[in-house]
Amino acid sequence: MSDPAFLVPAALGTLAVLVRLPSLRRNARDPLLRSVAAYLLTATGVLYFGAPSMIVKVNETTGVPNFAAPLLYSVLMACCGSGIILIINWRGGPPVRIRRATRWCAATYAGLAAAMYVLFALGEAPVERLQDLDTYYANTPYMREMIVLYLVGHSAAAVLMASLGRRWLSAVSRELRAGLGLMIAGCTLALGFDLCKFAAVGARWAGADWDVLSTKAAPPFAAASFCSILLGFGVPLIVQRFEEPWRDWTRYRRLGTLSRLLHGLTPAVAVVRMPLFATVGVRRLHREAGIHDGLLTLNPYFDFDLRARALADALADAPAGGATDEDAAAEADALMVIAAVDALRADPEGRVVASFKELQPEPGGRSDLVRLSRALERLLPTEPRSPAPEGEYA
């Protein structure tokens, strides 16, 4: 494969590492964040050091033919170990068990990485091979063992990560389930890489030439595996990052009809100006506060007898229309609010307010404001626009 096939995914991995750095600095002791950063860093390193131009550069810099091989394989072992550790920390459990499993995994793959250099030093690999080192030296003492060892370590990590992810899959839902599914798919693709390599090396042992499996078929599996696993880790993080703003925006938008109906009912001195660049969460809170202020202004004009009659009518019609009891209550509240707005506008001198003695219950609650707004959408023929002075919570 050419350099772009390695460097483009590596660039994506580098970007992911940079995105996670601020969180890592703020929570340097968080084992999950550390394991995410370690996995992304080592996986990106595998792609960088696997690029043909980087292999040539490493060999030239060190002056040792094929020194890029143990370097690449050791980084791959670090990636495998950090991937398993990430799954262990992501899944959670008793801290003692997590620490024990983490140490065992780190020690195992650190030992495998060290063994790569020992076996390379003991072997003889004078001819530089950029793409077919696995098959070219498949029958060379010590080099053969190094090749088999990295394939076994990589296959074991892929199987273990897929197994842990599959066990966890039934216990999670939504974005985490999608992320785990992508990770499992990535581990399966990684096994495809190993199978191609094993088949090509085994063919060399048998005296055949299946090098094309190692040089042409295996690398695409590696690149696709990395992208799938990277997406698997990224999907839950991205969804969690944007889920709350999306909920705020959805609620803000759905409260629009109710907000516009109550727009301008609150005295101008009570209106709080909204900053131009306020977040959607702040705008949602501001809109809700304005709605509650408007409902408080309407409180003296609420006619609960009207609401009771409207609720009875709505409940009577509910079975035929398929509406729920909550929908019927929201429709009754909406009719009462509309009537209260009309009553307030018909009382410019505030006689009702002057004779008002006791605060009445507010229609609905925080959880029902959206339902109330949607009921207003059905009842009002056009978007309500009050001629009251300019306000800020509409």
Side-chain angles (χ1 to χ4, degrees):
M1 292 178 68
S2 60
D3 279 351
F6 290 90
L7 297 180
V8 171
L12 294 176
T14 302
L15 179 61
V17 172
L18 294 176
V19 168
R20 301 307 301 166
L21 277 180
S23 299
L24 186 61
R25 282 198 297 266
R26 289 193 300 268
N27 305 279
R29 296 181 178 274
D30 189 330
L32 180 57
L33 285 176
R34 288 204 305 265
S35 56
V36 168
Y39 179 77
L40 290 175
L41 192 62
T42 53
T44 301
V46 170
L47 289 168
Y48 275 128
F49 288 115
S53 62
M54 184 60 70
I55 293 174
V56 172
K57 188 68 175 177
V58 169
N59 291 338
E60 289 178 353
T61 302
T62 60
V64 179
N66 299 309
F67 184 81
L71 177 61
L72 174 61
Y73 298 159
S74 62
V75 175
L76 180 60
M77 293 302 98
C79 177
C80 292
S82 60
I84 297 172
I85 291 172
L86 175 54
I87 293 290
I88 292 171
N89 281 280
W90 199 5
R91 188 175 183 181
V96 175
R97 189 179 70 182
I98 291 176
R99 284 195 297 269
R100 184 167 56 245
T102 297
R103 290 169 183 165
W104 178 88
C105 182
T108 299
Y109 277 92
L112 288 175
M116 302 295 168
Y117 293 100
V118 174
L119 291 169
F120 179 78
L122 294 173
E124 294 289 338
V127 181
E128 183 181 61
R129 309 302 298 183
L130 299 181
Q131 294 185 335
D132 62 346
L133 182 139
D134 297 338
T135 51
Y136 188 86
Y137 289 106
N139 291 303
T140 302
Y142 299 112
M143 291 294 291
R144 172 184 57 223
E145 284 75 13
M146 182 186 73
I147 294 165
V148 171
L149 193 60
Y150 100 79
L151 288 174
V152 169
H154 187 252
S155 300
V159 170
L160 189 54
M161 289 178 66
S163 176
L164 291 173
R166 197 178 299 276
R167 291 179 192 174
W168 194 21
L169 196 62
S170 60
V172 297
S173 59
R174 299 180 58 196
E175 68 275 4
L176 193 54
R177 188 179 183 87
L180 278 175
L182 286 168
M183 285 177 50
I184 293 170
C187 293
T188 304
L189 290 168
L191 286 174
F193 168 87
D194 294 325
L195 289 174
C196 290
K197 289 286 186 178
F198 272 125
V201 171
R204 280 288 184 143
W205 293 342
D209 182 356
W210 291 2
D211 289 11
V212 67
L213 291 177
S214 176
T215 58
K216 300 297 183 183
F221 277 106
S225 170
F226 173 77
C227 292
S228 181
I229 293 176
L230 181 63
L231 282 174
F233 287 128
V235 164
L237 296 174
I238 293 171
V239 170
Q240 290 168 11
R241 172 67 179 83
F242 292 102
E243 186 175 31
E244 185 173 353
W246 176 253
R247 284 200 302 264
D248 286 335
W249 167 250
T250 301
R251 184 172 177 85
Y252 175 84
R253 181 176 54 81
R254 289 176 176 175
L255 289 172
T257 302
L258 178 58
S259 178
R260 286 186 288 271
L261 178 67
L262 303 180
H263 175 69
L265 298 181
T266 305
V269 292
V271 175
V272 179
R273 294 283 173 177
M274 170 62 61
L276 180 62
F277 298 105
T279 65
V280 66
V282 171
R283 292 182 181 277
R284 187 263 302 169
L285 290 172
H286 192 264
R287 174 164 280 187
E288 288 182 352
I291 288 173
H292 286 297
D293 289 343
L295 292 175
L296 185 62
T297 302
L298 289 178
N299 198 278
Y301 299 92
F302 286 150
D303 185 347
F304 281 89
D305 290 335
L306 170 65
R307 181 189 184 280
R309 294 193 298 273
L311 178 60
D313 292 341
L315 290 173
D317 296 337
T324 63
D325 291 349
E326 290 81 3
D327 292 332
E331 183 175 334
D333 284 336
L335 288 169
M336 183 178 69
V337 169
I338 293 171
V341 171
D342 293 338
L344 182 146
R345 290 172 178 167
D347 183 29
E349 298 179 358
R351 294 191 182 92
V352 173
V353 176
S355 61
F356 186 63
K357 296 181 180 180
E358 185 177 356
L359 194 66
Q360 303 183 89
E362 182 179 299
R366 183 187 182 282
S367 60
D368 295 322
L369 289 180
V370 170
R371 199 183 297 271
L372 175 60
S373 185
R374 298 181 74 173
L376 287 169
E377 288 180 13
R378 295 190 296 269
L379 293 173
L380 295 172
T382 59
E383 290 293 330
R385 293 289 178 181
S386 171
E390 179 184 0
E392 289 296 321
Y393 58 80

